[in-house]
Amino acid sequence: MNWQEVLSENGYRVSEPRRLVMQLLENSSQPLTPLQIYSALLQSGNTLGMVSVYRALELLTELCLVCLVYNSDGSPGYVLGMGGHHHHILCQSCHKAASFAGSEDLSALIEKVEADTNYRVKDHLLQLYGICPACQEKQSVRQEGN
Ligand SMILES: [Zn+2]
Ligand SMILES: [Zn+2]
């Protein structure tokens, strides 16, 4: 199911703001902040208000079509979502985002946290940082040059 179908299946129109935001995120491998989305749309000649950008992002996040992630400096950004339970990994060097399927491999940790805190764990937010293949390549080329 593509994102247009997800929207209409949930009773939403493929409005101009939603289409523009989705298109932009589809073409970006790095997370974009609402301000970056707003500026990029403005540069390509679309006069979409900041409020429309926020509203579109809010709905698209709710429908899991986009995901909120955090850059290694803590700044939030949006990337395309992937169906089902999944997590994101971000490159610390170029900020490129990738996603991976979430599995139940956190269950040992969750059990320990529940035992330690007496909380019942209901949900989690997991995101990893690392160095992407392209940046690893760049780094090894640099090292060989020394
Ligand atoms: Zn990278
Ligand atoms: Zn998970």
Side-chain angles (χ1 to χ4, degrees), residues 25 30-37 54 57 67-79 90 95 125 127 129:
L25 290 177
Q30 285 142 352
L32 298 176
T33 65
L35 188 62
Q36 284 171 327
I37 292 170
Y54 273 116
L57 284 171
C67 291
L68 178 63
V69 296
Y70 294 89
N71 282 305
S72 44
D73 65 2
S75 64
Y78 289 86
V79 291
L90 265 72
H95 304 299
L125 181 67
Q127 196 197 293
Y129 296 104

mmCIF file with all atom_site columns, all heavy atoms in Angstrom, residues 25 30-37 54 57 67-79 90 95 125 127 129:
data_model
loop_
_atom_site.group_PDB
_atom_site.id
_atom_site.type_symbol
_atom_site.label_atom_id
_atom_site.label_alt_id
_atom_site.label_comp_id
_atom_site.label_asym_id
_atom_site.label_entity_id
_atom_site.label_seq_id
_atom_site.pdbx_PDB_ins_code
_atom_site.Cartn_x
_atom_site.Cartn_y
_atom_site.Cartn_z
_atom_site.occupancy
_atom_site.B_iso_or_equiv
_atom_site.pdbx_formal_charge
_atom_site.auth_seq_id
_atom_site.auth_comp_id
_atom_site.auth_asym_id
_atom_site.auth_atom_id
_atom_site.pdbx_PDB_model_num
ATOM 1   N N   . LEU A 1 25  ? 10.243 14.299 1.565  1.00 0.00 ? 25  LEU A N   1
ATOM 2   C CA  . LEU A 1 25  ? 10.871 13.293 2.428  1.00 0.00 ? 25  LEU A CA  1
ATOM 3   C C   . LEU A 1 25  ? 11.271 12.048 1.637  1.00 0.00 ? 25  LEU A C   1
ATOM 4   O O   . LEU A 1 25  ? 12.251 11.391 1.962  1.00 0.00 ? 25  LEU A O   1
ATOM 5   C CB  . LEU A 1 25  ? 9.934  12.924 3.590  1.00 0.00 ? 25  LEU A CB  1
ATOM 6   C CG  . LEU A 1 25  ? 9.746  14.038 4.633  1.00 0.00 ? 25  LEU A CG  1
ATOM 7   C CD1 . LEU A 1 25  ? 8.767  13.617 5.698  1.00 0.00 ? 25  LEU A CD1 1
ATOM 8   C CD2 . LEU A 1 25  ? 11.080 14.421 5.275  1.00 0.00 ? 25  LEU A CD2 1
ATOM 9   N N   . GLN A 1 30  ? 18.238 12.134 4.583  1.00 0.00 ? 30  GLN A N   1
ATOM 10  C CA  . GLN A 1 30  ? 18.524 12.694 5.897  1.00 0.00 ? 30  GLN A CA  1
ATOM 11  C C   . GLN A 1 30  ? 17.253 13.249 6.524  1.00 0.00 ? 30  GLN A C   1
ATOM 12  O O   . GLN A 1 30  ? 16.369 13.714 5.813  1.00 0.00 ? 30  GLN A O   1
ATOM 13  C CB  . GLN A 1 30  ? 19.562 13.819 5.780  1.00 0.00 ? 30  GLN A CB  1
ATOM 14  C CG  . GLN A 1 30  ? 20.955 13.281 5.557  1.00 0.00 ? 30  GLN A CG  1
ATOM 15  C CD  . GLN A 1 30  ? 21.757 14.134 4.596  1.00 0.00 ? 30  GLN A CD  1
ATOM 16  O OE1 . GLN A 1 30  ? 21.228 15.039 3.984  1.00 0.00 ? 30  GLN A OE1 1
ATOM 17  N NE2 . GLN A 1 30  ? 23.026 13.822 4.457  1.00 0.00 ? 30  GLN A NE2 1
ATOM 18  N N   . PRO A 1 31  ? 17.155 13.200 7.859  1.00 0.00 ? 31  PRO A N   1
ATOM 19  C CA  . PRO A 1 31  ? 15.981 13.761 8.522  1.00 0.00 ? 31  PRO A CA  1
ATOM 20  C C   . PRO A 1 31  ? 15.902 15.262 8.269  1.00 0.00 ? 31  PRO A C   1
ATOM 21  O O   . PRO A 1 31  ? 16.917 15.948 8.252  1.00 0.00 ? 31  PRO A O   1
ATOM 22  C CB  . PRO A 1 31  ? 16.238 13.499 10.015 1.00 0.00 ? 31  PRO A CB  1
ATOM 23  C CG  . PRO A 1 31  ? 17.403 12.604 10.096 1.00 0.00 ? 31  PRO A CG  1
ATOM 24  C CD  . PRO A 1 31  ? 18.147 12.673 8.810  1.00 0.00 ? 31  PRO A CD  1
ATOM 25  N N   . LEU A 1 32  ? 14.694 15.755 8.052  1.00 0.00 ? 32  LEU A N   1
ATOM 26  C CA  . LEU A 1 32  ? 14.477 17.180 7.822  1.00 0.00 ? 32  LEU A CA  1
ATOM 27  C C   . LEU A 1 32  ? 13.629 17.757 8.945  1.00 0.00 ? 32  LEU A C   1
ATOM 28  O O   . LEU A 1 32  ? 12.636 17.157 9.348  1.00 0.00 ? 32  LEU A O   1
ATOM 29  C CB  . LEU A 1 32  ? 13.761 17.398 6.482  1.00 0.00 ? 32  LEU A CB  1
ATOM 30  C CG  . LEU A 1 32  ? 14.491 16.938 5.226  1.00 0.00 ? 32  LEU A CG  1
ATOM 31  C CD1 . LEU A 1 32  ? 13.604 17.130 3.997  1.00 0.00 ? 32  LEU A CD1 1
ATOM 32  C CD2 . LEU A 1 32  ? 15.809 17.676 5.053  1.00 0.00 ? 32  LEU A CD2 1
ATOM 33  N N   . THR A 1 33  ? 14.023 18.924 9.428  1.00 0.00 ? 33  THR A N   1
ATOM 34  C CA  . THR A 1 33  ? 13.228 19.608 10.445 1.00 0.00 ? 33  THR A CA  1
ATOM 35  C C   . THR A 1 33  ? 12.059 20.306 9.737  1.00 0.00 ? 33  THR A C   1
ATOM 36  O O   . THR A 1 33  ? 12.125 20.555 8.532  1.00 0.00 ? 33  THR A O   1
ATOM 37  C CB  . THR A 1 33  ? 14.058 20.666 11.189 1.00 0.00 ? 33  THR A CB  1
ATOM 38  O OG1 . THR A 1 33  ? 14.425 21.683 10.254 1.00 0.00 ? 33  THR A OG1 1
ATOM 39  C CG2 . THR A 1 33  ? 15.316 20.064 11.803 1.00 0.00 ? 33  THR A CG2 1
ATOM 40  N N   . PRO A 1 34  ? 10.998 20.648 10.485 1.00 0.00 ? 34  PRO A N   1
ATOM 41  C CA  . PRO A 1 34  ? 9.886  21.384 9.871  1.00 0.00 ? 34  PRO A CA  1
ATOM 42  C C   . PRO A 1 34  ? 10.370 22.647 9.152  1.00 0.00 ? 34  PRO A C   1
ATOM 43  O O   . PRO A 1 34  ? 9.893  22.965 8.076  1.00 0.00 ? 34  PRO A O   1
ATOM 44  C CB  . PRO A 1 34  ? 8.983  21.724 11.059 1.00 0.00 ? 34  PRO A CB  1
ATOM 45  C CG  . PRO A 1 34  ? 9.240  20.636 12.036 1.00 0.00 ? 34  PRO A CG  1
ATOM 46  C CD  . PRO A 1 34  ? 10.701 20.308 11.896 1.00 0.00 ? 34  PRO A CD  1
ATOM 47  N N   . LEU A 1 35  ? 11.335 23.335 9.733  1.00 0.00 ? 35  LEU A N   1
ATOM 48  C CA  . LEU A 1 35  ? 11.855 24.551 9.118  1.00 0.00 ? 35  LEU A CA  1
ATOM 49  C C   . LEU A 1 35  ? 12.578 24.250 7.805  1.00 0.00 ? 35  LEU A C   1
ATOM 50  O O   . LEU A 1 35  ? 12.442 24.985 6.820  1.00 0.00 ? 35  LEU A O   1
ATOM 51  C CB  . LEU A 1 35  ? 12.804 25.266 10.100 1.00 0.00 ? 35  LEU A CB  1
ATOM 52  C CG  . LEU A 1 35  ? 13.269 26.655 9.655  1.00 0.00 ? 35  LEU A CG  1
ATOM 53  C CD1 . LEU A 1 35  ? 12.087 27.620 9.514  1.00 0.00 ? 35  LEU A CD1 1
ATOM 54  C CD2 . LEU A 1 35  ? 14.296 27.224 10.634 1.00 0.00 ? 35  LEU A CD2 1
ATOM 55  N N   . GLN A 1 36  ? 13.357 23.150 7.790  1.00 0.00 ? 36  GLN A N   1
ATOM 56  C CA  . GLN A 1 36  ? 14.034 22.758 6.551  1.00 0.00 ? 36  GLN A CA  1
ATOM 57  C C   . GLN A 1 36  ? 13.027 22.389 5.465  1.00 0.00 ? 36  GLN A C   1
ATOM 58  O O   . GLN A 1 36  ? 13.225 22.683 4.290  1.00 0.00 ? 36  GLN A O   1
ATOM 59  C CB  . GLN A 1 36  ? 14.980 21.579 6.815  1.00 0.00 ? 36  GLN A CB  1
ATOM 60  C CG  . GLN A 1 36  ? 16.259 21.990 7.525  1.00 0.00 ? 36  GLN A CG  1
ATOM 61  C CD  . GLN A 1 36  ? 17.077 20.791 7.969  1.00 0.00 ? 36  GLN A CD  1
ATOM 62  O OE1 . GLN A 1 36  ? 16.524 19.740 8.326  1.00 0.00 ? 36  GLN A OE1 1
ATOM 63  N NE2 . GLN A 1 36  ? 18.382 20.927 7.950  1.00 0.00 ? 36  GLN A NE2 1
ATOM 64  N N   . ILE A 1 37  ? 11.949 21.727 5.865  1.00 0.00 ? 37  ILE A N   1
ATOM 65  C CA  . ILE A 1 37  ? 10.899 21.361 4.906  1.00 0.00 ? 37  ILE A CA  1
ATOM 66  C C   . ILE A 1 37  ? 10.255 22.619 4.346  1.00 0.00 ? 37  ILE A C   1
ATOM 67  O O   . ILE A 1 37  ? 10.092 22.781 3.137  1.00 0.00 ? 37  ILE A O   1
ATOM 68  C CB  . ILE A 1 37  ? 9.844  20.450 5.587  1.00 0.00 ? 37  ILE A CB  1
ATOM 69  C CG1 . ILE A 1 37  ? 10.473 19.094 5.926  1.00 0.00 ? 37  ILE A CG1 1
ATOM 70  C CG2 . ILE A 1 37  ? 8.615  20.273 4.694  1.00 0.00 ? 37  ILE A CG2 1
ATOM 71  C CD1 . ILE A 1 37  ? 9.620  18.203 6.801  1.00 0.00 ? 37  ILE A CD1 1
ATOM 72  N N   . TYR A 1 54  ? 3.503  21.884 9.672  1.00 0.00 ? 54  TYR A N   1
ATOM 73  C CA  . TYR A 1 54  ? 3.338  21.215 10.969 1.00 0.00 ? 54  TYR A CA  1
ATOM 74  C C   . TYR A 1 54  ? 2.125  20.301 10.974 1.00 0.00 ? 54  TYR A C   1
ATOM 75  O O   . TYR A 1 54  ? 2.184  19.173 11.453 1.00 0.00 ? 54  TYR A O   1
ATOM 76  C CB  . TYR A 1 54  ? 3.195  22.252 12.095 1.00 0.00 ? 54  TYR A CB  1
ATOM 77  C CG  . TYR A 1 54  ? 4.519  22.711 12.658 1.00 0.00 ? 54  TYR A CG  1
ATOM 78  C CD1 . TYR A 1 54  ? 4.931  24.026 12.534 1.00 0.00 ? 54  TYR A CD1 1
ATOM 79  C CD2 . TYR A 1 54  ? 5.364  21.808 13.325 1.00 0.00 ? 54  TYR A CD2 1
ATOM 80  C CE1 . TYR A 1 54  ? 6.148  24.449 13.053 1.00 0.00 ? 54  TYR A CE1 1
ATOM 81  C CE2 . TYR A 1 54  ? 6.570  22.232 13.843 1.00 0.00 ? 54  TYR A CE2 1
ATOM 82  C CZ  . TYR A 1 54  ? 6.966  23.548 13.706 1.00 0.00 ? 54  TYR A CZ  1
ATOM 83  O OH  . TYR A 1 54  ? 8.166  23.958 14.221 1.00 0.00 ? 54  TYR A OH  1
ATOM 84  N N   . LEU A 1 57  ? 2.788  17.210 8.887  1.00 0.00 ? 57  LEU A N   1
ATOM 85  C CA  . LEU A 1 57  ? 3.713  16.313 9.589  1.00 0.00 ? 57  LEU A CA  1
ATOM 86  C C   . LEU A 1 57  ? 3.014  15.584 10.739 1.00 0.00 ? 57  LEU A C   1
ATOM 87  O O   . LEU A 1 57  ? 3.250  14.398 10.962 1.00 0.00 ? 57  LEU A O   1
ATOM 88  C CB  . LEU A 1 57  ? 4.906  17.101 10.129 1.00 0.00 ? 57  LEU A CB  1
ATOM 89  C CG  . LEU A 1 57  ? 5.954  17.507 9.093  1.00 0.00 ? 57  LEU A CG  1
ATOM 90  C CD1 . LEU A 1 57  ? 6.955  18.472 9.709  1.00 0.00 ? 57  LEU A CD1 1
ATOM 91  C CD2 . LEU A 1 57  ? 6.678  16.278 8.532  1.00 0.00 ? 57  LEU A CD2 1
ATOM 92  N N   . CYS A 1 67  ? 8.371  9.383  10.335 1.00 0.00 ? 67  CYS A N   1
ATOM 93  C CA  . CYS A 1 67  ? 8.789  9.139  11.715 1.00 0.00 ? 67  CYS A CA  1
ATOM 94  C C   . CYS A 1 67  ? 9.632  10.310 12.207 1.00 0.00 ? 67  CYS A C   1
ATOM 95  O O   . CYS A 1 67  ? 10.407 10.885 11.446 1.00 0.00 ? 67  CYS A O   1
ATOM 96  C CB  . CYS A 1 67  ? 9.643  7.885  11.805 1.00 0.00 ? 67  CYS A CB  1
ATOM 97  S SG  . CYS A 1 67  ? 8.740  6.380  11.494 1.00 0.00 ? 67  CYS A SG  1
ATOM 98  N N   . LEU A 1 68  ? 9.470  10.592 13.472 1.00 0.00 ? 68  LEU A N   1
ATOM 99  C CA  . LEU A 1 68  ? 10.288 11.606 14.119 1.00 0.00 ? 68  LEU A CA  1
ATOM 100 C C   . LEU A 1 68  ? 11.545 10.935 14.659 1.00 0.00 ? 68  LEU A C   1
ATOM 101 O O   . LEU A 1 68  ? 11.466 9.947  15.386 1.00 0.00 ? 68  LEU A O   1
ATOM 102 C CB  . LEU A 1 68  ? 9.493  12.247 15.260 1.00 0.00 ? 68  LEU A CB  1
ATOM 103 C CG  . LEU A 1 68  ? 10.193 13.300 16.099 1.00 0.00 ? 68  LEU A CG  1
ATOM 104 C CD1 . LEU A 1 68  ? 10.563 14.515 15.252 1.00 0.00 ? 68  LEU A CD1 1
ATOM 105 C CD2 . LEU A 1 68  ? 9.299  13.720 17.252 1.00 0.00 ? 68  LEU A CD2 1
ATOM 106 N N   . VAL A 1 69  ? 12.701 11.446 14.289 1.00 0.00 ? 69  VAL A N   1
ATOM 107 C CA  . VAL A 1 69  ? 13.969 10.917 14.803 1.00 0.00 ? 69  VAL A CA  1
ATOM 108 C C   . VAL A 1 69  ? 14.797 12.081 15.353 1.00 0.00 ? 69  VAL A C   1
ATOM 109 O O   . VAL A 1 69  ? 14.412 13.247 15.214 1.00 0.00 ? 69  VAL A O   1
ATOM 110 C CB  . VAL A 1 69  ? 14.773 10.172 13.701 1.00 0.00 ? 69  VAL A CB  1
ATOM 111 C CG1 . VAL A 1 69  ? 14.028 8.937  13.216 1.00 0.00 ? 69  VAL A CG1 1
ATOM 112 C CG2 . VAL A 1 69  ? 15.097 11.091 12.541 1.00 0.00 ? 69  VAL A CG2 1
ATOM 113 N N   . TYR A 1 70  ? 15.902 11.755 15.965 1.00 0.00 ? 70  TYR A N   1
ATOM 114 C CA  . TYR A 1 70  ? 16.748 12.802 16.543 1.00 0.00 ? 70  TYR A CA  1
ATOM 115 C C   . TYR A 1 70  ? 18.159 12.696 15.986 1.00 0.00 ? 70  TYR A C   1
ATOM 116 O O   . TYR A 1 70  ? 18.757 11.626 15.999 1.00 0.00 ? 70  TYR A O   1
ATOM 117 C CB  . TYR A 1 70  ? 16.768 12.701 18.066 1.00 0.00 ? 70  TYR A CB  1
ATOM 118 C CG  . TYR A 1 70  ? 15.415 13.003 18.648 1.00 0.00 ? 70  TYR A CG  1
ATOM 119 C CD1 . TYR A 1 70  ? 14.479 11.994 18.829 1.00 0.00 ? 70  TYR A CD1 1
ATOM 120 C CD2 . TYR A 1 70  ? 15.052 14.313 18.955 1.00 0.00 ? 70  TYR A CD2 1
ATOM 121 C CE1 . TYR A 1 70  ? 13.201 12.280 19.316 1.00 0.00 ? 70  TYR A CE1 1
ATOM 122 C CE2 . TYR A 1 70  ? 13.789 14.614 19.437 1.00 0.00 ? 70  TYR A CE2 1
ATOM 123 C CZ  . TYR A 1 70  ? 12.871 13.592 19.620 1.00 0.00 ? 70  TYR A CZ  1
ATOM 124 O OH  . TYR A 1 70  ? 11.620 13.878 20.083 1.00 0.00 ? 70  TYR A OH  1
ATOM 125 N N   . ASN A 1 71  ? 18.679 13.820 15.500 1.00 0.00 ? 71  ASN A N   1
ATOM 126 C CA  . ASN A 1 71  ? 20.069 13.864 15.061 1.00 0.00 ? 71  ASN A CA  1
ATOM 127 C C   . ASN A 1 71  ? 20.973 13.714 16.271 1.00 0.00 ? 71  ASN A C   1
ATOM 128 O O   . ASN A 1 71  ? 20.541 13.910 17.405 1.00 0.00 ? 71  ASN A O   1
ATOM 129 C CB  . ASN A 1 71  ? 20.354 15.187 14.350 1.00 0.00 ? 71  ASN A CB  1
ATOM 130 C CG  . ASN A 1 71  ? 19.812 15.182 12.933 1.00 0.00 ? 71  ASN A CG  1
ATOM 131 O OD1 . ASN A 1 71  ? 20.134 14.298 12.150 1.00 0.00 ? 71  ASN A OD1 1
ATOM 132 N ND2 . ASN A 1 71  ? 18.979 16.155 12.614 1.00 0.00 ? 71  ASN A ND2 1
ATOM 133 N N   . SER A 1 72  ? 22.246 13.396 16.008 1.00 0.00 ? 72  SER A N   1
ATOM 134 C CA  . SER A 1 72  ? 23.145 13.170 17.138 1.00 0.00 ? 72  SER A CA  1
ATOM 135 C C   . SER A 1 72  ? 23.360 14.432 17.973 1.00 0.00 ? 72  SER A C   1
ATOM 136 O O   . SER A 1 72  ? 23.798 14.364 19.114 1.00 0.00 ? 72  SER A O   1
ATOM 137 C CB  . SER A 1 72  ? 24.483 12.589 16.665 1.00 0.00 ? 72  SER A CB  1
ATOM 138 O OG  . SER A 1 72  ? 24.946 13.260 15.531 1.00 0.00 ? 72  SER A OG  1
ATOM 139 N N   . ASP A 1 73  ? 23.006 15.609 17.433 1.00 0.00 ? 73  ASP A N   1
ATOM 140 C CA  . ASP A 1 73  ? 23.071 16.835 18.234 1.00 0.00 ? 73  ASP A CA  1
ATOM 141 C C   . ASP A 1 73  ? 21.761 17.078 18.984 1.00 0.00 ? 73  ASP A C   1
ATOM 142 O O   . ASP A 1 73  ? 21.597 18.108 19.637 1.00 0.00 ? 73  ASP A O   1
ATOM 143 C CB  . ASP A 1 73  ? 23.425 18.044 17.357 1.00 0.00 ? 73  ASP A CB  1
ATOM 144 C CG  . ASP A 1 73  ? 22.338 18.349 16.333 1.00 0.00 ? 73  ASP A CG  1
ATOM 145 O OD1 . ASP A 1 73  ? 21.301 17.651 16.319 1.00 0.00 ? 73  ASP A OD1 1
ATOM 146 O OD2 . ASP A 1 73  ? 22.522 19.289 15.549 1.00 0.00 ? 73  ASP A OD2 1
ATOM 147 N N   . GLY A 1 74  ? 20.811 16.134 18.889 1.00 0.00 ? 74  GLY A N   1
ATOM 148 C CA  . GLY A 1 74  ? 19.558 16.240 19.621 1.00 0.00 ? 74  GLY A CA  1
ATOM 149 C C   . GLY A 1 74  ? 18.448 16.939 18.858 1.00 0.00 ? 74  GLY A C   1
ATOM 150 O O   . GLY A 1 74  ? 17.308 16.965 19.317 1.00 0.00 ? 74  GLY A O   1
ATOM 151 N N   . SER A 1 75  ? 18.751 17.511 17.696 1.00 0.00 ? 75  SER A N   1
ATOM 152 C CA  . SER A 1 75  ? 17.708 18.209 16.955 1.00 0.00 ? 75  SER A CA  1
ATOM 153 C C   . SER A 1 75  ? 16.768 17.212 16.288 1.00 0.00 ? 75  SER A C   1
ATOM 154 O O   . SER A 1 75  ? 17.211 16.228 15.706 1.00 0.00 ? 75  SER A O   1
ATOM 155 C CB  . SER A 1 75  ? 18.331 19.144 15.907 1.00 0.00 ? 75  SER A CB  1
ATOM 156 O OG  . SER A 1 75  ? 19.023 18.393 14.945 1.00 0.00 ? 75  SER A OG  1
ATOM 157 N N   . PRO A 1 76  ? 15.457 17.453 16.382 1.00 0.00 ? 76  PRO A N   1
ATOM 158 C CA  . PRO A 1 76  ? 14.497 16.520 15.815 1.00 0.00 ? 76  PRO A CA  1
ATOM 159 C C   . PRO A 1 76  ? 14.335 16.708 14.311 1.00 0.00 ? 76  PRO A C   1
ATOM 160 O O   . PRO A 1 76  ? 14.480 17.827 13.803 1.00 0.00 ? 76  PRO A O   1
ATOM 161 C CB  . PRO A 1 76  ? 13.198 16.875 16.539 1.00 0.00 ? 76  PRO A CB  1
ATOM 162 C CG  . PRO A 1 76  ? 13.348 18.299 16.926 1.00 0.00 ? 76  PRO A CG  1
ATOM 163 C CD  . PRO A 1 76  ? 14.821 18.595 17.045 1.00 0.00 ? 76  PRO A CD  1
ATOM 164 N N   . GLY A 1 77  ? 14.054 15.650 13.623 1.00 0.00 ? 77  GLY A N   1
ATOM 165 C CA  . GLY A 1 77  ? 13.809 15.717 12.186 1.00 0.00 ? 77  GLY A CA  1
ATOM 166 C C   . GLY A 1 77  ? 12.868 14.610 11.768 1.00 0.00 ? 77  GLY A C   1
ATOM 167 O O   . GLY A 1 77  ? 12.609 13.681 12.529 1.00 0.00 ? 77  GLY A O   1
ATOM 168 N N   . TYR A 1 78  ? 12.350 14.713 10.573 1.00 0.00 ? 78  TYR A N   1
ATOM 169 C CA  . TYR A 1 78  ? 11.409 13.712 10.069 1.00 0.00 ? 78  TYR A CA  1
ATOM 170 C C   . TYR A 1 78  ? 12.007 12.933 8.913  1.00 0.00 ? 78  TYR A C   1
ATOM 171 O O   . TYR A 1 78  ? 12.691 13.486 8.059  1.00 0.00 ? 78  TYR A O   1
ATOM 172 C CB  . TYR A 1 78  ? 10.125 14.397 9.604  1.00 0.00 ? 78  TYR A CB  1
ATOM 173 C CG  . TYR A 1 78  ? 9.320  14.934 10.767 1.00 0.00 ? 78  TYR A CG  1
ATOM 174 C CD1 . TYR A 1 78  ? 9.595  16.196 11.290 1.00 0.00 ? 78  TYR A CD1 1
ATOM 175 C CD2 . TYR A 1 78  ? 8.326  14.175 11.348 1.00 0.00 ? 78  TYR A CD2 1
ATOM 176 C CE1 . TYR A 1 78  ? 8.869  16.689 12.371 1.00 0.00 ? 78  TYR A CE1 1
ATOM 177 C CE2 . TYR A 1 78  ? 7.599  14.645 12.433 1.00 0.00 ? 78  TYR A CE2 1
ATOM 178 C CZ  . TYR A 1 78  ? 7.873  15.911 12.934 1.00 0.00 ? 78  TYR A CZ  1
ATOM 179 O OH  . TYR A 1 78  ? 7.174  16.378 14.003 1.00 0.00 ? 78  TYR A OH  1
ATOM 180 N N   . VAL A 1 79  ? 11.768 11.627 8.911  1.00 0.00 ? 79  VAL A N   1
ATOM 181 C CA  . VAL A 1 79  ? 12.161 10.758 7.801  1.00 0.00 ? 79  VAL A CA  1
ATOM 182 C C   . VAL A 1 79  ? 10.939 9.948  7.386  1.00 0.00 ? 79  VAL A C   1
ATOM 183 O O   . VAL A 1 79  ? 9.965  9.866  8.131  1.00 0.00 ? 79  VAL A O   1
ATOM 184 C CB  . VAL A 1 79  ? 13.310 9.790  8.179  1.00 0.00 ? 79  VAL A CB  1
ATOM 185 C CG1 . VAL A 1 79  ? 14.608 10.532 8.395  1.00 0.00 ? 79  VAL A CG1 1
ATOM 186 C CG2 . VAL A 1 79  ? 12.941 8.953  9.396  1.00 0.00 ? 79  VAL A CG2 1
ATOM 187 N N   . LEU A 1 90  ? 20.983 6.361  12.623 1.00 0.00 ? 90  LEU A N   1
ATOM 188 C CA  . LEU A 1 90  ? 21.437 7.578  11.953 1.00 0.00 ? 90  LEU A CA  1
ATOM 189 C C   . LEU A 1 90  ? 22.955 7.634  11.910 1.00 0.00 ? 90  LEU A C   1
ATOM 190 O O   . LEU A 1 90  ? 23.620 7.260  12.879 1.00 0.00 ? 90  LEU A O   1
ATOM 191 C CB  . LEU A 1 90  ? 20.928 8.817  12.700 1.00 0.00 ? 90  LEU A CB  1
ATOM 192 C CG  . LEU A 1 90  ? 19.628 9.421  12.161 1.00 0.00 ? 90  LEU A CG  1
ATOM 193 C CD1 . LEU A 1 90  ? 18.456 8.526  12.496 1.00 0.00 ? 90  LEU A CD1 1
ATOM 194 C CD2 . LEU A 1 90  ? 19.426 10.799 12.736 1.00 0.00 ? 90  LEU A CD2 1
ATOM 195 N N   . HIS A 1 95  ? 24.456 12.154 8.799  1.00 0.00 ? 95  HIS A N   1
ATOM 196 C CA  . HIS A 1 95  ? 23.056 12.180 9.259  1.00 0.00 ? 95  HIS A CA  1
ATOM 197 C C   . HIS A 1 95  ? 22.112 11.346 8.410  1.00 0.00 ? 95  HIS A C   1
ATOM 198 O O   . HIS A 1 95  ? 20.899 11.425 8.561  1.00 0.00 ? 95  HIS A O   1
ATOM 199 C CB  . HIS A 1 95  ? 22.523 13.605 9.369  1.00 0.00 ? 95  HIS A CB  1
ATOM 200 C CG  . HIS A 1 95  ? 23.349 14.484 10.261 1.00 0.00 ? 95  HIS A CG  1
ATOM 201 N ND1 . HIS A 1 95  ? 23.528 14.216 11.594 1.00 0.00 ? 95  HIS A ND1 1
ATOM 202 C CD2 . HIS A 1 95  ? 24.074 15.591 9.992  1.00 0.00 ? 95  HIS A CD2 1
ATOM 203 C CE1 . HIS A 1 95  ? 24.311 15.132 12.107 1.00 0.00 ? 95  HIS A CE1 1
ATOM 204 N NE2 . HIS A 1 95  ? 24.677 15.971 11.159 1.00 0.00 ? 95  HIS A NE2 1
ATOM 205 N N   . LEU A 1 125 ? 11.147 3.720  22.765 1.00 0.00 ? 125 LEU A N   1
ATOM 206 C CA  . LEU A 1 125 ? 11.635 4.563  21.687 1.00 0.00 ? 125 LEU A CA  1
ATOM 207 C C   . LEU A 1 125 ? 13.114 4.236  21.567 1.00 0.00 ? 125 LEU A C   1
ATOM 208 O O   . LEU A 1 125 ? 13.879 4.499  22.490 1.00 0.00 ? 125 LEU A O   1
ATOM 209 C CB  . LEU A 1 125 ? 11.427 6.029  22.072 1.00 0.00 ? 125 LEU A CB  1
ATOM 210 C CG  . LEU A 1 125 ? 11.836 7.089  21.074 1.00 0.00 ? 125 LEU A CG  1
ATOM 211 C CD1 . LEU A 1 125 ? 10.950 7.023  19.846 1.00 0.00 ? 125 LEU A CD1 1
ATOM 212 C CD2 . LEU A 1 125 ? 11.720 8.466  21.708 1.00 0.00 ? 125 LEU A CD2 1
ATOM 213 N N   . GLN A 1 127 ? 16.598 4.370  19.135 1.00 0.00 ? 127 GLN A N   1
ATOM 214 C CA  . GLN A 1 127 ? 17.247 4.871  17.944 1.00 0.00 ? 127 GLN A CA  1
ATOM 215 C C   . GLN A 1 127 ? 18.750 4.703  18.121 1.00 0.00 ? 127 GLN A C   1
ATOM 216 O O   . GLN A 1 127 ? 19.278 4.932  19.209 1.00 0.00 ? 127 GLN A O   1
ATOM 217 C CB  . GLN A 1 127 ? 16.894 6.339  17.746 1.00 0.00 ? 127 GLN A CB  1
ATOM 218 C CG  . GLN A 1 127 ? 17.194 6.843  16.356 1.00 0.00 ? 127 GLN A CG  1
ATOM 219 C CD  . GLN A 1 127 ? 17.234 8.345  16.303 1.00 0.00 ? 127 GLN A CD  1
ATOM 220 O OE1 . GLN A 1 127 ? 16.227 9.005  16.477 1.00 0.00 ? 127 GLN A OE1 1
ATOM 221 N NE2 . GLN A 1 127 ? 18.405 8.885  16.090 1.00 0.00 ? 127 GLN A NE2 1
ATOM 222 N N   . TYR A 1 129 ? 22.861 5.270  16.748 1.00 0.00 ? 129 TYR A N   1
ATOM 223 C CA  . TYR A 1 129 ? 23.763 6.126  15.982 1.00 0.00 ? 129 TYR A CA  1
ATOM 224 C C   . TYR A 1 129 ? 24.971 5.310  15.551 1.00 0.00 ? 129 TYR A C   1
ATOM 225 O O   . TYR A 1 129 ? 25.402 4.409  16.258 1.00 0.00 ? 129 TYR A O   1
ATOM 226 C CB  . TYR A 1 129 ? 24.245 7.307  16.824 1.00 0.00 ? 129 TYR A CB  1
ATOM 227 C CG  . TYR A 1 129 ? 23.145 8.233  17.237 1.00 0.00 ? 129 TYR A CG  1
ATOM 228 C CD1 . TYR A 1 129 ? 22.657 8.228  18.532 1.00 0.00 ? 129 TYR A CD1 1
ATOM 229 C CD2 . TYR A 1 129 ? 22.581 9.114  16.313 1.00 0.00 ? 129 TYR A CD2 1
ATOM 230 C CE1 . TYR A 1 129 ? 21.631 9.080  18.910 1.00 0.00 ? 129 TYR A CE1 1
ATOM 231 C CE2 . TYR A 1 129 ? 21.551 9.972  16.686 1.00 0.00 ? 129 TYR A CE2 1
ATOM 232 C CZ  . TYR A 1 129 ? 21.083 9.944  17.985 1.00 0.00 ? 129 TYR A CZ  1
ATOM 233 O OH  . TYR A 1 129 ? 20.068 10.781 18.348 1.00 0.00 ? 129 TYR A OH  1
#
